[in-house]
Amino acid sequence: KLSAASLLSSDSEQLAGSEPVVQEMVDDCLFWEVMLKKETVDDKFGFAQVNGRAEFEVRLPVPQSDDGSETPDPTWRGPDVLIVRRIHEGGLLHRWNLQHPEAEVMP
């Protein structure tokens, strides 16, 4: 029989060898890549998200075109981002955070 404490201890031992995350600062924003891979059909990514571009475009009006016309700028788009709203314990993202505390994804 496994207890939660032994599972956590076992996870910590497995996580000790994780590689460092490459981070990059761009325009005062810190960027890094998170790769989650399902190993079994039972694996869950384990987070709730929203489309950052859609959120951005809903909240901010489309600016006018550079040519001064009343037509909105058709090239205007929000940033390509994923907004994490919640992380579920035991999911792949939760386990990734345990492996990479220096680059934890937070809701």
Side-chain angles (χ1 to χ4, degrees), residues 71-83:
T71 307
D73 183 350
T75 63
W76 184 84
R77 293 170 36 141
D80 285 321
V81 296
L82 180 74
I83 298 173

Side-chain angles (χ1 to χ4, degrees), residues 28-69:
D28 292 328
C29 293
L30 188 58
F31 289 88
W32 64 93
E33 186 172 287
V34 175
M35 290 292 268
L36 303 175
K37 181 179 179 185
K38 291 184 176 185
E39 299 289 334
T40 72
V41 294
D42 294 325
D43 282 343
K44 306 287 185 224
F45 288 118
F47 62 93
Q49 81 284 342
V50 295
N51 180 325
R53 175 183 289 160
E55 282 282 305
F56 182 87
E57 292 174 359
V58 164
R59 293 173 188 258
L60 294 174
V62 178
Q64 299 301 313
S65 293
D66 289 338
D67 62 10
S69 69

Side-chain angles (χ1 to χ4, degrees), residues 5 15 51 95:
L15 303 178
N51 180 325
R95 293 189 309 218

